[in-house]
Amino acid sequence: MNMDSLTQSNGEWLRASGPEADIVISSRIRLARNLSSFPFTNRATTHQKAEIEQSLKARVEKLDFDPRLEYVNLAAASPLDRQVLVERQLVSRELANSEGPRGVAVAANEIISIMINEEDHIRMQVIRSGFALDDAWQDADRLDDKLEEKVPYAFSEELGYLTACPTNVGTGLRASVMLHLPALVLSKQIEKVFRALQKINLAVRGLYGEGSRASGDFYQISNQVTLGKSETQIINEIRDVIPQIIAYERQARETLTRDNRPQVLDRVKRAFGTLQNAAMMTSEETMDLLSSVRLGVNLHLIDDIDIHGVNELFIHTQPAHLQKLMGKELDSDERNSERARFLRNRLRELDGLN
Amino acid sequence: MNMDSLTQSNGEWLRASGPEADIVISSRIRLARNLSSFPFTNRATTHQKAEIEQSLKARVEKLDFDPRLEYVNLAAASPLDRQVLVERQLVSRELANSEGPRGVAVAANEIISIMINEEDHIRMQVIRSGFALDDAWQDADRLDDKLEEKVPYAFSEELGYLTACPTNVGTGLRASVMLHLPALVLSKQIEKVFRALQKINLAVRGLYGEGSRASGDFYQISNQVTLGKSETQIINEIRDVIPQIIAYERQARETLTRDNRPQVLDRVKRAFGTLQNAAMMTSEETMDLLSSVRLGVNLHLIDDIDIHGVNELFIHTQPAHLQKLMGKELDSDERNSERARFLRNRLRELDGLN
């Protein structure tokens, strides 16, 4: 896989063209699987991990599956390339930063990725743009069936799929939806939503996985229980609650534009002005300002740029993407300066396109 | 005097074309005088104040003096017009807000104004652009001589000119210089300068007189002692210290651009971007942002607009000016919205001119 062209392209899920795309960024299905003939990754020797990788790489590359998957050897990849894959959500931060034989197979449209030697031998994920859990599940199920034809999975009649961590045993399924909830944050109702979700055993995290704060007002909602329920039950539980959160966010947006229109307009315009003019910009601040701009575009408060351009900037201004786009490694100060320059130029281009 | 045309024009001192105009906004001489045949203003009856006003108005209007002075009856003027005169520094806030017969005679170029029935019967002031205390003093001295030919001043051989407040007795002279010191504020050295000035009995205040905080990083430095010194001594004391403060500010600007150029550039550009994009803006924030822009223009960090345009915006965005320019009274929210619109339009015009 050519990492340079990857950096400049856009994953399918980033197009934000799916259902409810003004609020739902993406829908994701992840399946955890292990080979029956090897110890779990954290118990495997380096030699065993190399065998696992070799065996899975060969089978994945030969898989009769559309789209075709391309393999990236993560042990051989540069730290920057690994970080690019993390920022695109194709690889977990844990796999990128771990050691030993490991890799990821990625479809060119980035809807599918299969991590090898993560916490489990196989972690396959499907990400779809917008609110499209069922489509994602169908892709994942099809991919899982194809792989199962070639690979002997660790499976128990009693427990289901066996995984390294007991929380994944059973279906090995995690279903998650990434939401953009700026109005619930602005109106300070987001905590209430969290408490309600926790009560029904759904987890809430930021854009970049566990422990990361929800910068850019992005929230990932996912199931916590994988055992004792069918895949369909798990997906239904999430799928049924998302429309309610969408309705809350829409209501909050309506209330804001009805009762606080000047304040919201001011916030959105200032964010846009700062992005167009600043000479230094952290990725944290970029996310927060872009979040306001994204809200502004969706509320038709600014018509200078389209939502696709904004979505792209969230990813392209991340540290590793920025360095790949600039073609060199940069320290933190240099990144803040180049990020500001990149944003100024890109927003001027996007403005010109409209 | 036509108040509407005044609002749209610019006082000579606002041109900021005088010596050291990147740091010294204006130099001002004020003389306090009283009529010998009437009690001080705070002891005079309304009838006496009317007599004082009538007598002084007639003499001022007939004065053989270039430029000609035009009289504004402040008791008859609208609160908005009075506030415009305060914002242009032609009338004190105290005189604008007091009651009874009172007025001000103003030269069309706004270099000269003579307040009648302020704390003293006569308060004449000369404001010059840039560092020009001597020129201002020559104008004030000439005006004082002309007036003294027609008006019997309260004068004591022992004490000098008599004034309502003992702090003004003697020369009745206050000499002051308005400085723009953003780099000393940014580098947190401003307090040190204040302490040094206080030690030599000079007072420091904000743009709009006593008690007002120094918004926009404008500081007015003036003498406190008017008794036991000649006019020339008082003026020399101030005039000799200003070059040192100018040198400090220049040094601070050089240090900032040498050691913190990215940070300063970022501050300046963000301020400019916010002024060009915000949908609501208080006058306080406007002053602070314009201060950064003014610094940026003087440091050649932005070349989109000239300094004259920036200086003008400081005054034209004040509450009363804004309402005059919009042609109607506005509440606080409306002002913040109209101010932001005015700034956006004006900065676009100024950008187009360059």
Side-chain angles (χ1 to χ4, degrees):
Chain A
M1 165 152 261
N2 182 332
M3 289 298 298
D4 293 329
S5 68
L6 180 71
T7 318
Q8 280 156 49
S9 74
N10 287 305
E12 171 72 16
W13 65 270
L14 247 178
R15 282 181 44 210
S17 54
E20 317 280 6
D22 58 331
I23 294 175
V24 187
I25 303 294
S26 61
S27 303
R28 177 170 162 267
I29 296 289
R30 179 270 273 163
L31 294 173
R33 298 289 185 260
N34 287 276
L35 305 186
S36 57
S37 44
F38 289 90
F40 291 131
T41 311
N42 63 345
R43 300 257 178 160
T45 63
T46 302
H47 183 73
Q48 286 172 320
K49 288 206 272 185
E51 280 187 86
I52 295 166
E53 191 199 10
Q54 213 164 11
S55 146
L56 286 173
K57 174 177 184 292
R59 285 165 195 183
V60 161
E61 283 179 334
K62 276 187 226 142
L63 210 62
D64 172 26
F65 190 79
D66 182 44
R68 302 292 306 165
L69 297 166
E70 279 189 75
Y71 194 75
V72 180
N73 178 346
L74 288 174
S78 72
L80 201 57
D81 283 346
R82 293 203 297 263
Q83 185 60 24
V84 164
L85 291 166
V86 172
E87 291 173 1
R88 293 185 92 79
Q89 312 220 17
L90 296 170
V91 155
S92 68
R93 194 177 299 275
E94 292 68 29
L95 185 65
N97 297 340
S98 72
E99 303 213 324
R102 65 200 192 283
V104 64
V106 179
N109 63 3
E110 297 179 48
I111 286 181
I112 292 165
S113 77
I114 304 176
M115 289 186 275
I116 292 171
N117 282 334
E118 220 261 11
E119 185 180 287
D120 297 294
H121 298 153
I122 302 167
R123 287 266 177 118
M124 61 190 106
Q125 75 166 18
V126 177
I127 304 191
R128 282 273 183 185
S129 192
F131 187 30
L133 274 175
D134 289 330
D135 288 352
W137 164 242
Q138 276 163 30
D139 287 342
D141 195 27
R142 193 163 58 90
L143 179 65
D144 185 42
D145 287 348
K146 285 280 181 190
L147 208 55
E148 200 160 15
E149 289 171 12
K150 310 282 179 189
V151 176
Y153 284 164
F155 184 80
S156 144
E157 287 297 334
E158 191 190 351
L159 295 169
Y161 294 102
L162 300 178
T163 56
C165 178
T167 58
N168 292 316
V169 167
T171 59
L173 172 69
R174 173 154 284 175
S176 62
V177 175
M178 182 74 72
L179 301 169
H180 187 226
L181 304 175
L184 286 173
V185 173
L186 264 179
S187 60
K188 299 186 174 34
Q189 296 177 80
I190 195 80
E191 289 293 337
K192 209 171 62 188
V193 174
F194 289 173
R195 284 195 299 272
L197 289 171
Q198 275 155 7
K199 270 191 196 158
I200 55 170
N201 278 319
L202 294 177
V204 182
R205 302 184 296 183
L207 177 56
Y208 286 114
E210 291 185 68
S212 65
R213 110 164 172 78
S215 55
D217 305 322
F218 289 112
Y219 294 91
Q220 183 183 302
I221 293 162
S222 61
N223 67 306
Q224 289 185 303
V225 180
T226 62
L227 188 64
K229 292 181 182 176
S230 74
E231 286 83 350
T232 317
Q233 274 178 309
I234 292 171
I235 291 165
N236 286 352
E237 271 178 18
I238 298 240
R239 200 191 42 210
D240 292 350
V241 80
I242 297 298
Q244 286 179 48
I245 305 177
I246 294 174
Y248 287 145
E249 170 68 18
R250 275 203 219 295
Q251 203 169 41
R253 290 183 185 187
E254 270 168 38
T255 308
L256 279 178
T257 38
R258 194 182 57 230
D259 302 344
N260 298 91
R261 193 185 153 86
Q263 288 77 9
V264 175
L265 181 67
D266 187 52
R267 186 189 180 88
V268 166
K269 291 281 189 180
R270 280 170 185 252
F272 198 42
T274 302
L275 288 166
Q276 285 175 304
N277 286 278
M280 294 199 303
M281 182 83 69
T282 64
S283 57
E284 194 67 21
E285 187 186 9
T286 305
M287 298 277 280
D288 289 340
L289 294 174
L290 284 174
S291 174
S292 290
V293 169
R294 189 176 197 279
L295 177 66
V297 173
N298 279 324
L299 294 178
H300 308 292
L301 296 175
I302 35 178
D303 48 13
D304 308 64
I305 47 174
D306 71 1
I307 200 74
H308 179 209
V310 178
N311 290 341
E312 183 186 278
L313 286 176
F314 278 106
I315 303 296
H316 283 182
T317 54
Q318 293 295 323
H321 272 77
L322 196 71
Q323 293 173 78
K324 289 295 278 188
L325 288 169
M326 297 300 138
K328 58 184 171 188
E329 290 199 27
L330 304 166
D331 68 24
S332 169
D333 277 356
E334 290 168 336
R335 281 204 302 276
N336 291 344
S337 157
E338 288 299 333
R339 181 178 292 112
R341 185 203 310 272
F342 175 76
L343 282 162
R344 290 197 305 273
N345 293 341
R346 200 76 192 92
L347 288 171
R348 200 173 304 138
E349 280 167 34
L350 289 171
D351 200 2
L353 291 178
N354 259 36
Chain B
M1 164 152 262
N2 182 331
M3 289 296 299
D4 292 329
S5 68
L6 180 71
T7 318
Q8 281 158 47
S9 75
N10 287 304
E12 170 70 19
W13 66 269
L14 247 179
R15 283 180 43 208
S17 52
E20 317 280 7
D22 59 331
I23 294 175
V24 187
I25 304 294
S26 61
S27 304
R28 176 170 162 269
I29 296 288
R30 179 268 274 163
L31 294 172
R33 300 289 185 258
N34 287 276
L35 304 186
S36 57
S37 44
F38 287 91
F40 290 130
T41 311
N42 62 344
R43 300 262 178 154
T45 63
T46 301
H47 183 71
Q48 286 172 320
K49 288 206 272 185
E51 279 188 86
I52 295 165
E53 190 199 12
Q54 212 164 11
S55 146
L56 286 173
K57 174 179 186 293
R59 284 165 195 183
V60 162
E61 283 181 334
K62 275 187 225 141
L63 209 63
D64 172 27
F65 189 79
D66 181 45
R68 302 291 306 166
L69 298 165
E70 279 189 76
Y71 194 75
V72 179
N73 179 344
L74 288 173
S78 71
L80 200 57
D81 284 344
R82 294 202 298 263
Q83 184 59 26
V84 164
L85 292 165
V86 172
E87 291 173 0
R88 293 185 91 79
Q89 312 220 18
L90 296 170
V91 155
S92 67
R93 195 176 298 274
E94 292 69 28
L95 186 66
N97 297 340
S98 71
E99 304 215 320
R102 65 201 193 283
V104 64
V106 178
N109 63 4
E110 298 180 47
I111 285 181
I112 291 165
S113 77
I114 305 177
M115 288 186 273
I116 292 171
N117 281 334
E118 220 262 10
E119 184 179 287
D120 297 293
H121 298 151
I122 302 167
R123 287 265 177 117
M124 60 190 108
Q125 78 166 17
V126 177
I127 303 192
R128 282 275 184 185
S129 192
F131 188 29
L133 274 175
D134 289 329
D135 287 353
W137 164 243
Q138 276 163 31
D139 287 342
D141 194 28
R142 194 163 59 89
L143 179 66
D144 186 41
D145 287 348
K146 283 280 181 189
L147 207 57
E148 198 159 18
E149 287 171 14
K150 309 281 180 188
V151 177
Y153 283 165
F155 184 80
S156 145
E157 287 297 333
E158 191 190 349
L159 295 171
Y161 293 103
L162 300 178
T163 56
C165 177
T167 58
N168 291 316
V169 167
T171 58
L173 172 69
R174 172 153 285 174
S176 62
V177 175
M178 183 73 73
L179 301 169
H180 187 226
L181 304 175
L184 286 173
V185 173
L186 264 179
S187 60
K188 300 186 174 37
Q189 297 177 78
I190 195 82
E191 289 292 337
K192 210 171 62 187
V193 174
F194 289 174
R195 284 196 298 274
L197 290 171
Q198 275 155 6
K199 271 191 194 156
I200 54 169
N201 277 319
L202 294 177
V204 182
R205 300 183 298 184
L207 177 56
Y208 286 114
E210 293 184 66
S212 66
R213 111 164 171 81
S215 55
D217 305 321
F218 290 113
Y219 293 91
Q220 182 182 303
I221 292 161
S222 61
N223 67 305
Q224 289 185 302
V225 179
T226 62
L227 187 65
K229 292 181 182 176
S230 74
E231 285 84 350
T232 317
Q233 274 178 309
I234 291 171
I235 291 165
N236 286 352
E237 272 177 19
I238 298 241
R239 202 190 42 208
D240 292 349
V241 80
I242 297 299
Q244 286 179 48
I245 305 177
I246 294 174
Y248 287 143
E249 171 67 18
R250 274 202 218 297
Q251 205 169 41
R253 290 182 185 187
E254 270 168 40
T255 307
L256 279 178
T257 39
R258 195 184 54 229
D259 301 343
N260 298 91
R261 193 184 152 86
Q263 288 77 9
V264 175
L265 181 67
D266 186 52
R267 186 189 179 87
V268 165
K269 292 282 189 180
R270 281 169 184 250
F272 198 43
T274 303
L275 287 166
Q276 286 176 305
N277 286 279
M280 294 198 303
M281 181 83 69
T282 65
S283 58
E284 194 68 19
E285 188 187 7
T286 305
M287 297 277 279
D288 289 339
L289 295 174
L290 285 174
S291 175
S292 290
V293 169
R294 190 177 196 277
L295 177 67
V297 173
N298 280 325
L299 295 179
H300 308 292
L301 296 175
I302 33 177
D303 48 13
D304 308 64
I305 47 172
D306 71 1
I307 200 75
H308 179 207
V310 178
N311 290 341
E312 185 185 278
L313 286 176
F314 278 106
I315 303 295
H316 284 181
T317 54
Q318 294 294 323
H321 272 77
L322 195 72
Q323 292 175 78
K324 290 296 278 189
L325 289 169
M326 297 300 140
K328 59 183 171 188
E329 290 198 28
L330 304 166
D331 67 24
S332 169
D333 277 355
E334 290 168 335
R335 282 204 302 276
N336 291 343
S337 158
E338 288 298 334
R339 182 179 293 113
R341 185 204 310 271
F342 175 75
L343 282 162
R344 290 198 305 273
N345 293 341
R346 199 76 192 93
L347 288 172
R348 200 174 304 140
E349 280 169 34
L350 289 172
D351 200 3
L353 291 178
N354 259 35

